[in-house]
Amino acid sequence: KFSRNEVHARLLAENATAMVDHICALINAPERAKTIGNKARSLIRSHYANDRIVKDLLRFFKELGAA
């Protein structure tokens, strides 16, 4: 498992040339690209699903009321 910084270093590019390099690397490694896509989908579903957002907001408002 990679840390968030390691993931950013592996996926984010500092410039256009680096972005092309990243894209080419993923084109040449379709299973890696698929794994990254699946993990990204899972992350989005777990952190940004409507029920998760509602729960987080309810907890936030309850904490405001308790203060």
Side-chain angles (χ1 to χ4, degrees), residues 30-66:
E31 285 302 314
R32 182 169 183 251
K34 185 176 181 178
T35 298
I36 290 169
N38 289 338
K39 288 184 178 188
R41 185 177 297 107
S42 176
L43 174 78
I44 295 301
R45 284 184 176 155
S46 67
H47 285 79
Y48 301 104
N50 288 338
D51 59 334
R52 168 75 186 262
I53 293 169
V54 169
K55 287 178 187 175
D56 289 346
L57 284 171
L58 288 173
R59 183 177 29 204
F60 171 74
F61 288 124
K62 285 179 183 177
E63 289 174 3
L64 283 177

